[in-house]
């Protein structure tokens, strides 16, 4: 459940009394919520920038690529409290944080793997949603590999243009990457001022 107050977002805390990254806790009608920082979570930033396609449900299965320490993962965990979040991260240092998070949030399944090779974790099977936040030059290629493997209904891609080419115009990079992906996005959101040089792309599929 998401609570919105003016320009601030909150998710109903799956683990009452505990924070993940020092976020503020508030209470509304006796229910505890965690503040969702749009400067630390691109999904929160996209919501505040007008995201219309929000496919996360209480029982959704989510493949999260580029989980890092679990900031956004934890809020997805709040929202999909009856689902499963497969949190893929390549960094062993970040994985330590994810493992700690998974100890208290049982719907998070940390996976230490390179998202360039989805065959490593293909046993998770089909998922409802793919969410990718990976700052690598071949981020579109990674996205396509995982789409083909897991056949989601909805996918979200955080496109960091400076990770592709720091000297090129961001709009030109966006056009190039969309030609590479060859799928028309349902939404394209610029994440300024929360994240500069980032586009938040939404894709929906039949079946």
């Amino acid at each position: 459940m998401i609570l919105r107050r003016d320009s601030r977002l909150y998710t109903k805390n799956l683990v009452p009394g505990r924070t993940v990254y020092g976020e503020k806790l508030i209470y509304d009608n006796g229910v505890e919520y965690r503040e969702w920082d749009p400067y630390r979570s691109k999904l929160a930033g996209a919501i505040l920038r007008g995201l219309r396609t929000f496919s996360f449900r209480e029982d959704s299965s989510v493949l999260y690529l580029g989980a890092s320490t679990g900031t956004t993962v934890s809020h997805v965990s709040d929202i999909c409290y009856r689902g499963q979040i497969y949190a893929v991260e390549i960094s062993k240092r970040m994985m330590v944080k994810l493992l700690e998070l998974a100890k208290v949030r049982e719907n998070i399944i940390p996976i230490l793997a390179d998202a360039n090779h989805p065959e490593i974790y293909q046993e998770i099977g089909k998922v409802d949603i793919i969410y990718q936040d990976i700052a690598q030059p071949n981020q579109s290629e990674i996205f396509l590999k995982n789409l083909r493997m897991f056949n989601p209904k909805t996918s979200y891609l955080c496109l960091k243009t400076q990770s592709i080419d720091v000297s090129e115009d961001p709009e030109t990079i966006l056009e190039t990457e969309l030609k590479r992906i060859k799928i028309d996005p349902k939404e394209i959101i610029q994440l300024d001022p929360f994240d500069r040089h980032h586009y938040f792309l939404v894709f929906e599929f039949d079946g």
Side-chain angles (χ1 to χ4, degrees):
M1 182 186 298
I2 298 176
L3 176 68
R4 187 164 184 167
R5 288 184 175 176
D6 300 322
S7 61
R8 296 182 183 274
L9 294 175
Y10 304 84
T11 56
K12 182 180 177 182
N13 195 358
L14 182 63
V15 188
R18 300 189 67 154
T19 63
V20 175
Y21 55 99
E23 68 277 15
K24 181 180 179 181
L25 300 178
I26 67 166
Y27 292 86
D28 183 80
N29 292 322
V31 177
E32 183 179 281
Y33 291 83
R34 303 165 50 229
E35 187 169 3
W36 196 357
D37 187 349
Y39 289 94
R40 299 185 64 167
S41 171
K42 296 177 185 66
L43 181 54
I47 293 170
L48 292 178
R49 291 281 289 149
L51 177 68
R52 300 185 307 276
T53 308
F54 192 83
S55 300
F56 299 89
R57 303 289 180 260
E58 64 181 47
D59 59 350
S60 294
S61 57
V62 181
L63 175 58
Y64 194 114
L65 305 173
S68 188
T69 58
T71 296
T72 301
V73 169
S74 70
H75 288 285
V76 174
S77 166
D78 284 343
I79 298 163
C80 307
Y81 59 92
R82 292 178 52 229
Q84 290 184 312
I85 300 92
Y86 300 99
V88 177
E89 175 55 46
I90 193 173
S91 167
K92 292 181 180 179
R93 182 170 61 87
M94 300 297 184
M95 182 55 59
V96 172
K97 296 278 190 179
L98 275 177
L99 289 170
E100 289 297 319
L101 189 62
K103 287 180 181 179
V104 294
R105 291 174 171 268
E106 296 181 357
N107 60 349
I108 297 176
I109 303 170
I111 300 173
L112 180 64
D114 183 349
N116 275 290
H117 301 285
E119 65 275 7
I120 295 173
Y121 45 90
Q122 64 179 327
E123 68 273 9
I124 70 175
K126 187 179 183 299
V127 296
D128 299 314
I129 297 167
I130 287 179
Y131 184 95
Q132 179 176 313
D133 185 6
I134 294 177
Q136 292 186 16
N138 67 328
Q139 52 198 273
S140 294
E141 178 186 348
I142 294 170
F143 183 66
L144 288 171
K145 286 180 180 179
N146 282 273
L147 283 184
R148 296 185 191 108
M149 181 70 74
F150 300 103
N151 192 30
K153 296 177 182 177
T154 309
S155 293
Y156 301 89
L157 173 61
C158 304
L159 189 71
K160 184 175 183 179
T161 60
Q162 283 203 326
S163 293
I164 296 170
D165 190 335
V166 296
S167 63
E168 186 61 86
D169 176 67
E171 289 190 10
T172 301
I173 293 175
L174 173 63
E175 291 176 6
T176 300
E177 295 307 305
L178 286 176
K179 288 178 182 176
R180 183 171 286 123
I181 294 171
K182 297 180 181 178
I183 306 170
D184 292 330
K186 184 176 182 180
E187 295 185 59
I188 301 174
I189 300 171
Q190 284 186 312
L191 290 179
D192 289 356
F194 305 117
D195 277 284
R196 296 184 62 208
H197 309 296
H198 275 82
Y199 290 96
F200 191 92
L201 310 180
V202 183
F203 301 87
E204 282 198 325
F205 309 96
D206 295 330

